[in-house]
């Protein structure tokens, strides 16, 4: 099991290496490491979304469930890709908000549906976004210029619009941390502080990769495996097909819509392709689990005992 202490140790090591090697987002190979980690660890935690789709649709439309699920799931992803190209400002900001909420929900026990709980999930789950948006804004804008393409105008607008949101969210996080201190939930507090420190003091490609791949995705994989009752070997076998198809599909889509030439994969194109692909995969995944599954298939989530055991293993 992946323990919180391991994640915090990795965060500390990254902070030290950044200071020692004076790393920045332009460091050789950093974009490739981030892309590889996202492909190997990030994408697979949505690799069993079709199982949830089958449980939802098969009782209603029998053997035709796949004909309904896969086209809709793919259409949502393609819609995100289209929005990324046509309306980058709105699409990226909505993606930030959805991701932050999903991150916070994954770390919580999902037992509360109150508005304050959702707001705190949005604030604390988005630490990896809000922190660099405020404290590394120039670097954020530079990275978004690669990710969104164009002359950087969209990136500048995204940063300008998101910084006030980030300010409010970090204020809420401070209130949340004060409550954790009162409740003596030191492990949960240490995760938040560790995420904040690594996001504040290391390049975004480092902090995002560490958090998304080595905390959020690992946590999601453990929740998903416990939910399905599979051994790790069986779980990886079942996750692999959809994950590989998503990665290959992202490259093919990027190639045919002119985002990237596969035989000339520059750093800028690689970043564009990686985050576009991540958004295209993440949005239908979030809708699937945070909206549809929680509402129509609550029994498919881990029950309270299973969920608590997984959280205990990573705490």
């Amino acid at each position: 099991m992946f323990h919180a202490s391991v994640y915090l140790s990795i965060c500390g090591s990254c902070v030290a290496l950044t200071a020692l090697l004076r790393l920045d987002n332009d460091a050789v190979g950093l974009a490739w490491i981030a892309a590889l980690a996202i492909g190997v660890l990030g994408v697979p935690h949505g690799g069993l979304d079709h199982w949830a789709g089958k449980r939802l649709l098969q009782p209603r439309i029998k053997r035709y469930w796949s004909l309904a699920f896969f086209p809709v799931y793919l259409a949502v992803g393609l819609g995100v890709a289209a929005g990324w190209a046509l309306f980058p400002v709105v699409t990226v900001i909505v993606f930030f908000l959805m991701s932050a909420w999903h991150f916070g929900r994954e770390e919580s026990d999902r037992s509360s549906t109150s508005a304050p709980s959702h707001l705190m999930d949005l604030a604390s789950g988005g630490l990896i976004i809000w922190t660099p948006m405020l404290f590394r804004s120039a670097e954020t804008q530079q990275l978004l210029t690669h990710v969104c393409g164009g002359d950087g105008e969209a990136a500048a607008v995204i940063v300008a619009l998101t910084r006030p949101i980030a300010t409010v969210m970090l204020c809420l996080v401070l209130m949340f941390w004060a409550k954790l201190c009162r409740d003596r939930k030191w492990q949960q507090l240490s995760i938040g502080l560790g995420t904040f420190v690594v996001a504040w003091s290391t390049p975004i490609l480092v902090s995002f990769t560490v958090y998304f791949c080595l905390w959020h995705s690992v946590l999601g994989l453990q929740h998903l495996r416990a939910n399905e009752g599979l051994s790790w070997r069986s779980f990886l076998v079942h996750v692999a097909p959809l994950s590989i198809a998503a990665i290959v599909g992202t490259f093919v889509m990027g190639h045919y819509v002119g985002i990237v030439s596969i035989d000339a994969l520059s750093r800028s194109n690689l970043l564009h392709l990686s985050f576009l692909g991540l958004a295209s995969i993440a949005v239908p995944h979030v809708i699937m689990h945070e909206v549809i599954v929680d509402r129509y298939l609550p029994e498919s989530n881990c029950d309270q005992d299973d969920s608590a055991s997984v959280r205990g293993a990573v705490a």
Side-chain angles (χ1 to χ4, degrees):
M1 287 293 185
F2 190 86
H3 291 263
S5 57
V6 176
Y7 170 68
L8 292 173
S9 297
I10 294 172
C11 288
S13 300
C14 288
V15 171
L17 285 173
T18 295
L20 181 64
L21 302 177
R22 298 181 179 178
L23 291 176
D24 57 34
N25 275 326
D26 293 326
V28 176
L30 204 54
W32 283 97
I33 293 172
L36 182 63
I38 289 171
V40 173
L41 292 172
V43 173
H45 84 279
L48 291 184
D49 284 358
H50 57 301
W51 284 20
K54 182 177 182 180
R55 278 196 286 266
L56 175 68
L57 296 172
Q58 193 174 50
R60 295 167 172 82
I61 56 176
K62 308 304 180 185
R63 66 179 183 273
Y64 301 107
W65 72 269
S66 60
L67 298 179
F69 173 78
F70 287 109
V72 172
Y73 196 90
L74 180 61
V76 173
L78 291 175
V80 173
W84 198 278
L86 299 174
F87 312 104
V89 174
V90 174
T91 303
V92 171
I93 292 177
V94 170
F95 173 59
F96 283 164
L97 293 171
M98 289 186 67
S99 298
W101 178 56
H102 176 56
F103 293 162
R105 292 276 287 166
E106 191 69 72
E107 293 178 15
S108 69
D109 61 9
R110 298 171 180 260
S111 61
S112 174
T113 58
S114 66
S117 174
H118 283 301
L119 187 59
M120 284 304 176
D121 287 339
L122 181 65
S124 61
L127 263 176
I128 200 66
I129 301 169
W130 317 135
T131 304
M133 191 64 67
L134 282 182
F135 298 103
R136 307 179 75 92
S137 56
E139 182 182 312
T140 302
Q141 184 172 328
Q142 181 187 38
L143 182 61
L144 284 172
T145 299
H146 291 302
V147 170
C148 295
D151 57 5
E153 181 179 353
V157 175
I158 291 169
V159 172
L161 293 177
T162 309
R163 279 173 62 84
I165 299 173
T167 302
V168 173
M169 292 300 164
L170 287 182
C171 289
L172 290 174
V173 168
L174 291 177
M175 295 169 57
F176 180 57
W177 286 350
K179 183 178 185 299
L180 291 179
C181 288
R182 289 196 303 270
D183 297 341
R184 297 185 179 184
K185 294 183 178 180
W186 308 119
Q187 291 179 335
Q188 192 174 357
L189 177 62
S190 67
I191 291 296
L193 288 171
T195 299
F196 172 79
V197 170
V198 77
W200 171 64
S201 59
T202 69
I204 295 170
L205 286 179
V206 173
S207 60
F208 179 80
T209 302
V210 168
Y211 175 82
F212 179 71
C213 296
L214 299 181
W215 180 248
H216 171 72
S217 292
V218 170
L219 194 63
L221 287 168
Q222 291 187 150
H223 281 160
L224 187 58
R225 189 186 70 84
N227 184 49
E228 300 296 344
L230 300 172
S231 68
W232 274 111
R233 181 177 179 180
S234 178
F235 176 70
L236 293 175
V237 168
H238 287 296
V239 161
L242 195 61
S243 302
I244 293 172
I247 294 170
V248 172
T250 299
F251 271 87
V252 171
M253 178 182 66
H255 177 66
Y256 280 102
V257 301
I259 293 172
V260 61
S261 172
I262 303 301
D263 58 355
L265 204 57
S266 69
R267 178 180 176 277
S268 180
N269 282 339
L270 181 65
L271 291 172
H272 192 171
L273 184 65
S274 297
F275 283 91
L276 171 63
L278 179 61
S280 300
I281 295 167
V283 170
H285 171 72
V286 172
I287 293 173
M288 185 75 199
H289 288 275
E290 304 297 352
V291 179
I292 298 175
V293 168
D294 278 4
R295 177 173 298 181
Y296 298 105
L297 289 174
E299 73 279 1
S300 70
N301 287 327
C302 303
D303 62 30
Q304 292 300 312
D305 293 337
D306 288 342
S307 185
S309 68
V310 172
R311 288 194 305 277
V314 299

